[in-house]
Amino acid sequence: MFRVINRVPTLTRKVGVVTQYGFATETKTQAEVLIDKVYDLVRAATSGNFAAYKALNSPTSTCIEPETRGNIISGLAFHEHYFSLPADPNQAPSQTTLTNVRAKVCCESKMGFVTYNRVTQRGVDVSVAQETRIWEKDSADEWVQVHFHKSLVE
């Protein structure tokens, strides 16, 4: 789910002209900043770093995903549970690739969203999810995630 146990996963970036560590240009558009935030968030989730994950989310962030079984969940306690699960030494390492990444900034650069396909390889198993993350600028003018939606692709 969110936790990779026996080693930090590889996060492959497939969007625009980028370097391994972020966008190649010095001046980023707000859309590029949002895409970087998504990569930071996914990296935090897949490496089990709840402090980094929490810092990128609003405390009242909501989510709709298969794990919520049709419920809209508010707050971070639901996801914190997955970060606190005990390690499974038998779990295969994983690689996560985000594809078809798109970002849109609106409302005078105060709100934006990023959509993408998330391909996760664990051993020989592959899963694909379509994800949408909605962001807004907080009172410190920093982007925080306020909503997350995930649908599994069969």
Side-chain angles (χ1 to χ4, degrees):
M1 180 143 342
F2 283 97
R3 190 145 164 93
V4 174
I5 306 305
N6 35 358
R7 66 177 157 152
V8 175
T10 304
L11 181 61
T12 305
R13 191 170 191 142
K14 295 191 184 267
V15 55
V17 178
V18 297
T19 67
Q20 180 180 0
Y21 301 104
F23 282 85
T25 59
E26 288 185 26
T27 306
K28 297 178 185 179
T29 67
Q30 287 299 300
E32 291 168 332
V33 170
L34 275 181
I35 290 170
D36 279 349
K37 293 287 187 186
V38 166
Y39 275 90
D40 292 344
L41 192 88
V42 172
R43 191 173 293 108
T46 58
S47 66
N49 185 344
F50 184 71
Y53 182 84
K54 182 178 178 180
L56 291 164
N57 276 279
S58 164
T60 59
S61 182
T62 56
C63 70
I64 303 170
E65 53 187 291
E67 294 84 354
T68 67
R69 307 274 194 232
N71 292 289
I72 299 172
I73 302 295
S74 184
L76 298 175
F78 179 82
H79 289 116
E80 185 176 16
H81 164 77
Y82 292 103
F83 284 89
S84 64
L85 291 175
D88 180 356
N90 299 317
Q91 187 177 33
S94 72
Q95 173 172 293
T96 298
T97 305
L98 305 185
T99 65
N100 301 323
V101 180
R102 304 285 183 267
K104 175 81 173 167
V105 177
C106 42
C107 301
E108 298 177 0
S109 295
K110 295 292 184 187
M111 193 277 291
F113 60 90
V114 180
T115 61
Y116 55 90
N117 292 323
R118 180 176 177 168
V119 180
T120 303
Q121 298 166 272
R122 185 176 308 281
V124 296
D125 296 325
V126 177
S127 64
V128 178
Q130 293 178 319
E131 299 184 353
T132 301
R133 295 184 184 273
I134 299 175
W135 300 77
E136 73 178 8
K137 293 273 185 100
D138 64 10
S139 59
D141 207 35
E142 293 292 325
W143 288 110
V144 292
Q145 179 179 260
V146 294
H147 182 74
F148 169 64
H149 185 104
K150 175 172 72 174
S151 300
L152 297 178
V153 177
E154 299 297 325

